[in-house]
């Protein structure tokens, strides 16, 4: 493809390159840049791609797209915003595949992953079509599953996934849209058929600074949508609706003025049941995932379906057959009269929700084991400690993904929220040891929640991912216990 075609719709400030030159690809990672490619120097959250221009040139990059003239003697294109330019260059290189897809975007602090999986099931059930998925757990293209590095991939990876989906015969794609993705222009140039806002609670303030900035970033999604769906019960709903340029459908459990309302809500161990009321129509709904948050997830999914022209009856029917979601209130086998659940809860609100949900089905003590991620919002650590103490009968504080922080320092900050409370707690920094301790010290009827890792099968220490699957850890420890009993 000629450089001029790759640069379509990108405002260029200055150029020292032949627009008719052939380009073999678009890259933003100097380590994987191939000969003949356009290398886009992006200013990242941690590193600046401009520092890697010499490496990209040495790898054979034909031209550099950047915000400041490179020192290396190489053809370049100067722009004001290289990150935004990357999104358009990638779109152009892959032939604008998103224009051939109906895209549904889900944003919010909690519920994104579950909502996208449910919407995928809804569309496949009601429309009998192929639906791609992009999210925290994984990326799905046809029958192929790919690991996800970010909730929302970098724009060049995003466009590549769209291209693969179109080639695989997908007509729709459901994707999680993180606030980072919006702020960092990963979704620049995309048009969404529907955008869904689930909720907003404290998270990522290390990046956004304030909840107001966080909310305003989320609200920007609707500027790229043809229609929207918003949780009216959330305190930030007004901010989402205030300047939305597209038709919005609201949903709620407590607000009677919403377009879609859940009445007669009944929660049990086998899920949530309610009666959905929309435009004078009533429909019974059952989602086999326990908890009030599941009712909100179901409402959001239905609201998206209605915005896409599906009937309330069809939406309810699809949710009835929806599958369980890995790492979201996921039950794992044990060797006795106690239960273990794995959940991804990594925010104060998510932790409180899962504990309140499982409190309803706990026969004995409710025990929670959790930590907080390193290099992330530190303000939430004592808050989560307090929430654990207020909602559980026993707390085990341990490590999550410490990244470049010392695990002991993170645990100490969580423990601040446990000071002065009556709830007993134990600090065991090593997560494997903590899980083993929880199992070995359980009491009959205990319900143990392993919170924070969820679907993840790794632990990040420093900048390296080490294999860690809590399902395996539990199974291995139970096998070891069984072996010890047999030996006795």
């Amino acid at each position: 493809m000629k450089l001029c075609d790759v640069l379509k719709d990108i405002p260029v400030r200055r150029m020292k390159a032949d627009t008719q030159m052939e380009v073999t690809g678009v890259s933003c990672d100097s380590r994987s840049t191939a000969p003949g490619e356009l290398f886009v120097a992006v200013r990242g959250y941690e590193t600046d791609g401009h520092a890697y221009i010499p490496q990209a040139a040495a790898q054979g990059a034909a031209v550099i797209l950047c915000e400041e003239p490179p020192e290396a003697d190489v053809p370049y294109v100067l722009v004001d915003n290289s990150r935004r330019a990357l999104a358009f260059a990638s779109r152009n290189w892959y032939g604008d595949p998103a224009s051939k897809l109906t895209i549904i975007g889900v944003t919010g602090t909690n519920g994104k992953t579950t909502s996208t999986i449910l919407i995928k099931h809804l569309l496949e059930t009601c429309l009998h079509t192929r639906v791609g998925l992009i999210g925290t757990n994984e990326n799905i293209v046809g029958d192929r599953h790919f690991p996800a590095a970010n909730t929302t991939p970098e724009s060049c990876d995003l466009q590549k996934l769209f291209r693969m989906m179109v080639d695989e015969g997908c007509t729709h794609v459901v994707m999680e849209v993180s606030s980072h993705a919006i702020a960092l222009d990963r979704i620049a140039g995309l048009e969404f058929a529907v955008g869904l806002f689930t909720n907003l609670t404290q998270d990522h303030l290390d990046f956004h600074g304030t909840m107001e900035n966080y909310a305003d970033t989320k609200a920007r999604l609707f500027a790229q949508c043809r229609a929207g769906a918003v949780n009216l019960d959330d305190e930030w709903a007004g901010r989402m609706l205030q300047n939305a340029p597209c038709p919005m459908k609201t949903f709620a459990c407590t607000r009677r003025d919403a377009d879609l309302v859940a009445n007669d809500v009944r929660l049990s161990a086998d899920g949530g049941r309610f009666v959905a009321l929309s435009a004078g129509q009533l429909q019974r709904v059952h989602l086999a995932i326990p908890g009030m948050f599941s009712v909100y997830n179901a409402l959001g999914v239905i609201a998206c379906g209605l915005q896409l022209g599906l009937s309330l009856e069809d939406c309810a029917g699809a949710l009835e057959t929806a599958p369980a979601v890995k790492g979201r209130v996921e039950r794992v086998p044990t060797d006795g009269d106690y239960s273990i659940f794995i959940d991804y809860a990594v925010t104060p609100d998510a932790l409180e929700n899962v504990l309140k949900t499982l409190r309803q089905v706990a026969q004995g003590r409710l025990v929670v084991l959790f930590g907080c991620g390193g290099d992330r919002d530190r303000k939430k650590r004592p808050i989560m400690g307090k929430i654990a103490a207020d909602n559980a009968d026993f707390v085990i504080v341990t490590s999550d993904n410490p990244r470049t922080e010392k695990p002991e320092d993170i645990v100490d900050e969580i423990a601040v929220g446990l000071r002065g409370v009556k709830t007993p707690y134990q600090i065991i920094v090593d997560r494997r040891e903590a899980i083993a301790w929880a199992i070995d010290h359980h009491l009959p009827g205990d319900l143990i929640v392993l919170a924070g890792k969820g679907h993840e099968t790794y632990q990040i220490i420093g900048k390296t991912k080490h294999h860690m699957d809590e399902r395996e850890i539990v199974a291995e420890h139970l096998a070891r216990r069984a072996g010890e009993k047999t030996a006795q």
Side-chain angles (χ1 to χ4, degrees), residues 3-51:
L3 177 61
C4 59
D5 296 323
V6 177
L7 297 178
K8 180 185 175 185
D9 297 328
I10 299 175
V12 174
R13 203 167 78 223
R14 192 195 322 164
M15 186 183 304
K16 184 185 176 183
D18 181 3
T19 59
Q20 297 303 304
M21 70 188 301
E22 289 290 334
V23 175
T24 62
V26 175
S27 170
C28 64
D29 187 338
S30 61
R31 295 167 296 183
S32 59
T33 299
E37 287 189 337
L38 167 70
F39 173 72
V40 183
V42 173
R43 299 191 192 280
Y45 185 42
E46 296 181 348
T47 60
D48 187 347
H50 289 77

Side-chain angles (χ1 to χ4, degrees), residues 48-302:
D48 187 347
H50 289 77
Y52 299 96
I53 290 175
Q55 183 179 345
Q59 293 273 106
V63 59
I64 308 295
L65 192 151
C66 46
E67 295 178 10
E68 55 189 54
E71 294 181 5
D73 186 18
V74 60
Y76 66 87
V77 178
L78 217 59
V79 297
D80 289 326
N81 186 334
S82 58
R83 182 175 284 283
R84 186 173 179 81
L86 173 64
F88 285 92
S90 302
R91 180 201 70 180
N92 297 336
W93 171 256
Y94 286 106
D96 194 11
S99 65
K100 303 172 180 65
L101 294 164
T102 298
I103 308 176
I104 298 92
V106 181
T107 198
T109 307
N110 302 311
K112 296 190 296 297
T113 298
T114 299
S115 295
T116 54
I117 292 172
L118 293 176
I119 293 170
K120 182 178 190 294
H121 175 77
L122 174 80
L123 296 174
E124 289 173 340
T125 302
C126 295
L127 301 180
H128 308 289
T129 190
R130 303 196 87 178
V131 182
L133 184 142
I134 296 171
T136 303
N137 279 17
E138 61 181 347
N139 300 318
I140 303 176
V141 179
D143 297 324
R144 292 183 290 168
H145 296 244
F146 302 92
N150 298 309
T151 297
T152 310
E154 187 55 82
S155 57
C156 50
D157 298 319
L158 191 58
Q159 293 292 339
K160 182 179 181 180
L161 284 168
F162 289 153
R163 180 74 266 164
M164 292 167 64
M165 290 175 184
V166 170
D167 293 344
E168 287 278 349
C170 294
T171 60
H172 294 65
V173 56
V174 190
M175 61 180 290
E176 295 182 47
V177 182
S178 67
S179 57
H180 287 71
I182 299 170
L184 299 176
D185 285 320
R186 292 177 191 165
I187 61 167
L190 295 183
E191 182 182 57
F192 294 83
V194 181
L196 166 63
F197 169 73
T198 59
N199 53 63
L200 199 78
T201 61
Q202 183 172 332
D203 201 13
H204 305 306
L205 296 191
D206 56 318
F207 181 82
H208 295 289
T210 66
M211 287 296 294
E212 288 73 18
N213 290 340
Y214 185 24
D216 289 342
T217 301
K218 292 286 191 187
R220 283 168 50 188
L221 171 65
F222 296 108
Q224 296 176 231
C225 296
R226 295 197 297 272
V230 168
N231 176 4
L232 195 60
D233 281 342
D234 189 84
E235 65 176 304
W236 297 95
R239 216 169 181 106
M240 300 298 132
L241 296 166
Q242 189 173 13
N243 297 310
C246 60
M248 304 290 273
K249 186 175 291 293
T250 57
F251 58 91
C253 291
T254 62
R255 291 277 297 269
R256 301 291 98 183
D257 55 335
D259 300 311
L260 172 66
V261 177
N263 288 325
D264 192 23
V265 176
R266 300 183 182 184
L267 305 176
S268 65
D270 72 341
R273 299 176 186 273
F274 61 94
V275 175
L277 170 63
S278 177
Q281 292 184 307
L282 292 173
Q283 186 65 49
R284 294 193 178 277
V285 181
H286 173 225
L287 181 63
I289 304 174
M292 194 64 199
F293 59 87
S294 291
V295 175
Y296 279 104
N297 287 339
L299 284 171
V301 171
I302 293 172

